[in-house]
Amino acid sequence: MAMDGDILFSIITPTTGKRPNALRNAVQSVERAARFAGLERNQVEILVGFDGVRGAAPRCAYPVRAYSLPGDRNRGHGVRDTLIKLADGGKLVFLDDDNVLKPCALSRYLRHLDAEMVVARVDAQLTMDQPWLPVFDDAPLMRPGNVNLLSLCLSRGLVADRCGGWRHHDEPDACRRNIADWYRMARSVTVIEEVVGILDAGRSLDRAALSSRQEALLDGLVARRGALAVATPLPSRPGLMRA
């Protein structure tokens, strides 16, 4: 498959700048994946967009282009749109700063360069009560909540040209809407069962820097545990008598 220039993969990473350790972890995961795939320096670029703050690019053996962008404060939607326009790679991979790629990720994608859209699995155990996304069953693949951005490797021509970049900025389900657009417009889609990333792998690396989704997740876990504690009386300790 002919590619635009020498760059095969552009990694799209929005960040608020509040999770420097997690961001470093995410960038290091790209380096590991690129080395594992045997990629040269000119075949991978990492685009980091700082949302309304000035930030420095983490050190990496592969090129990192960091941009201090005007404040969007919209869950990274505007930042992703800008980075898509700046990307030079033939393929786009979306990696938020609190996630990581598995070492095998880019080597998996290299096997399917002819597909405009590759849908793979991601480890979701730190995020929800199931081992991975998407779930492959009899229900539609593109149902709400089933396909995560981290699961995708996409042709830049599909995303930037035919679909107009990152759209649906202001909708709460903007990720799902954009993924649905790409799926509908893709000329070829390949679905693989290999796990290529880990959701929320960096959430504990920076104190007090959880995303709104992570805060809601942890609040829900605390509420469920509290309800369980109230509903389950403590067992009595044998051998103790009350006066």
Side-chain angles (χ1 to χ4, degrees):
M1 174 180 177
M3 311 298 293
D4 294 333
D6 294 326
I7 300 176
L8 292 178
F9 296 103
S10 292
I11 313 298
I12 304 295
T13 301
T15 182
T16 61
K18 297 178 180 179
R19 295 191 286 262
N21 294 324
L23 175 61
R24 188 178 308 112
N25 194 46
V27 170
Q28 288 172 350
S29 78
V30 178
E31 180 175 334
R32 287 192 295 270
R35 290 186 184 277
F36 187 86
L39 296 172
E40 302 292 337
R41 273 184 50 86
N42 66 341
Q43 293 180 304
V44 179
E45 64 174 4
I46 305 167
L47 278 64
V48 178
F50 288 89
D51 189 355
V53 297
R54 289 190 174 276
R59 298 179 68 177
C60 182
Y62 290 81
V64 182
R65 295 159 56 191
Y67 300 91
S68 297
L69 302 174
D72 181 62
R73 312 297 187 192
N74 193 19
R75 301 182 297 280
H77 298 328
V79 174
R80 291 188 189 98
D81 191 39
T82 299
L83 295 182
I84 288 169
K85 292 178 171 64
L86 294 170
D88 291 324
K91 298 291 184 179
L92 305 180
V93 175
F94 291 92
L95 176 68
D96 287 357
D97 64 0
D98 48 358
N99 299 333
V100 297
L101 293 181
K102 297 277 281 183
C104 64
L106 299 182
S107 65
R108 302 294 190 203
Y109 293 145
L110 282 173
R111 300 177 184 178
H112 305 286
L113 288 180
D114 287 338
E116 283 204 318
M117 182 178 196
V118 179
V119 183
R121 276 178 164 161
V122 293
D123 187 327
Q125 295 179 80
L126 297 174
T127 303
M128 54 189 62
D129 297 328
Q130 63 187 61
W132 53 67
L133 289 175
V135 175
F136 298 134
D137 52 21
D138 294 333
L141 176 65
M142 289 298 161
R143 62 186 182 270
N146 195 45
V147 177
N148 189 274
L149 274 179
L150 186 59
S151 298
L152 305 177
C153 178
L154 302 139
S155 162
R156 182 164 56 88
L158 166 66
V159 174
D161 299 334
R162 297 209 307 281
C163 291
W166 186 273
R167 303 193 301 174
H168 313 292
H169 287 211
D170 299 324
E171 292 87 345
D173 59 345
C175 288
R176 182 190 66 81
R177 287 174 176 264
N178 280 289
I179 292 171
D181 283 352
W182 302 333
Y183 184 71
R184 184 176 62 254
M185 294 293 292
R187 293 169 181 154
S188 56
V189 178
T190 296
V191 178
I192 61 177
E193 295 192 7
E194 289 89 352
V195 177
V196 297
I198 304 175
L199 294 174
D200 282 1
R203 75 179 183 196
S204 62
L205 298 180
D206 300 276
R207 293 185 178 182
L210 298 177
S211 68
S212 58
R213 178 185 57 76
Q214 292 165 351
E215 290 176 348
L217 169 69
L218 294 180
D219 288 345
L221 289 174
V222 170
R224 287 197 295 273
R225 288 174 180 171
L228 180 62
V230 170
T232 306
L234 293 174
S236 60
R237 296 176 59 188
L240 295 179
M241 298 183 63
R242 303 182 69 178

